[in-house]
């Protein structure tokens, strides 16, 4: 069964840091582009970041560029999101999501499946 | 950034009804469009990609159409498990943006 399980969320003060992890199983992790998408409480979905299959190419939403870093460890089948200089507006459920198709040179940028999400709350 | 809009923002419908949700992009995205279903407290689920391709395992009562800037998601006969929120998403260019969502609830 294809599965993505996020961890690492929690309560952090403004200006603080947090690292999210996403453990993948049931598929060849290194064959897929991966993404992070977030959803503030009661709000819509916002794409955050993506990383290519070998981790050498990354992209970010402007709202997190320079503060967040996406990475992956293909040996551990794990995706990461390092979040620094956190702000109240970063409060959200963070989902990791797999790109739809494997071995795509540029990624399809459609997301399936998704993890269950991990809640990040930035508050003093 | 490409802006995505959806209409209606909410719709009340009965089991068996045909439901149509519209999504519009602020510029031409060809068929780089996906539709997702999200139930409260759950992760989104991909229904349709490339504007009209049905994701594996998704019931055939869901269909998508459109290209360019105007797209439609249709549920041909609403089932109890279909009461949820629906989001469109463009995959044409960075940043990948979602519509604000359409909530389908019980009449």
């Amino acid at each position: 069964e294809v599965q993505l399980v996020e961890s690492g969320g929690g309560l952090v003060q403004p200006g603080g840091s947090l690292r999210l992890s996403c453990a993948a199983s049931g598929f060849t992790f290194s064959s897929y582009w991966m993404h992070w998408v977030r959803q503030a409480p009661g709000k819509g979905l916002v794409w955050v970041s993506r990383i290519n299959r070998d981790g050498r190419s990354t992209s970010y939403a402007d709202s997190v560029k320079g503060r967040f870093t996406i990475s992956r460890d293909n040996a551990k089948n794990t995706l990461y999101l390092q979040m620094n200089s956190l702000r109240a507006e970063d409060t959200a459920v963070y989902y990791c999501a797999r790109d739809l198709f494997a071995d795509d040179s540029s990624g399809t940028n459609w997301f399936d499946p998704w993890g269950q999400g991990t809640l990040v709350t930035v508050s003093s | 950034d490409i802006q995505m809009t959806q209409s209606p923002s909410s719709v009340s419908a009965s089991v068996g009804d045909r439901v149509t949700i519209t999504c519009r992009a602020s510029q031409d995205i060809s068929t780089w469009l996906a539709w997702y279903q999200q139930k409260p407290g759950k992760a989104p689920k991909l229904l349709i990609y490339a504007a009209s391709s049905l994701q594996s395992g998704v019931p055939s009562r869901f269909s998508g159409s459109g290209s360019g800037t105007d797209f439609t998601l249709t549920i041909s006969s609403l089932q109890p498990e279909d009461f949820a929120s629906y989001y469109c998403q463009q995959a044409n260019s960075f940043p990948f943006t979602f519509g604000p969502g359409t909530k389908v609830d019980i009449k």
Side-chain angles (χ1 to χ4, degrees):
Chain A
E1 179 194 4
V2 174
Q3 196 169 14
L4 298 170
V5 179
E6 300 95 336
S7 60
L11 175 64
V12 61
Q13 292 188 339
S17 298
L18 214 54
R19 188 176 84 154
L20 306 183
S21 299
C22 170
S25 61
F27 64 98
T28 305
F29 181 68
S30 60
S31 294
Y32 290 83
W33 293 64
M34 296 293 296
H35 303 262
W36 287 98
V37 178
R38 70 184 182 184
Q39 186 171 35
K43 302 297 185 182
L45 300 163
V46 177
W47 173 81
V48 173
S49 181
R50 79 165 186 179
I51 189 167
N52 75 334
R53 290 171 287 166
D54 64 10
R56 295 182 183 181
S57 176
T58 59
S59 303
Y60 299 91
D62 284 346
S63 58
V64 307
K65 200 173 295 182
R67 300 187 299 122
F68 289 13
T69 302
I70 189 172
S71 62
R72 65 192 297 162
D73 185 334
N74 286 342
K76 295 182 177 180
N77 292 337
T78 303
L79 176 72
Y80 302 100
L81 186 67
Q82 176 67 44
M83 303 186 295
N84 299 329
S85 302
L86 282 161
R87 307 165 180 167
E89 54 266 35
D90 295 319
T91 294
V93 173
Y94 284 75
Y95 296 100
C96 66
R98 193 191 72 179
D99 209 78
L100 180 57
F101 294 122
D103 301 321
D104 190 287
S105 59
S106 59
T108 63
N109 307 309
W110 293 305
F111 314 130
D112 184 75
W114 299 54
Q116 86 288 352
T118 187
L119 177 62
V120 172
T121 303
V122 184
S123 175
S124 54
Chain B
D1 297 2
I2 297 176
Q3 307 302 316
M4 307 298 292
T5 57
Q6 287 181 233
S7 62
S9 57
S10 66
V11 57
S12 294
S14 301
V15 172
D17 284 353
R18 182 182 183 90
V19 173
T20 299
I21 299 169
T22 298
C23 176
R24 177 165 289 175
S26 61
Q27 63 189 71
D28 189 338
I29 60 170
S30 184
T31 56
W32 288 98
L33 186 101
W35 289 97
Y36 300 86
Q37 176 193 68
Q38 187 179 32
K39 297 180 180 179
K42 300 295 186 182
K45 171 188 173 184
L46 178 67
L47 300 175
I48 301 284
Y49 64 94
S52 60
S53 295
L54 191 68
Q55 171 61 344
S56 176
V58 174
S60 59
R61 62 181 179 272
F62 291 94
S63 64
S65 65
S67 66
T69 60
D70 295 316
F71 303 87
T72 300
L73 173 70
T74 299
I75 309 171
S76 60
S77 178
L78 199 66
Q79 297 302 299
E81 60 268 31
D82 300 336
F83 292 97
S85 292
Y86 294 85
Y87 294 89
C88 61
Q89 176 240 331
Q90 65 85 13
N92 181 73
S93 61
F94 291 110
F96 308 120
T97 43
F98 292 83
T102 294
K103 185 176 181 181
V104 178
D105 59 22
I106 302 172
K107 181 183 282 185

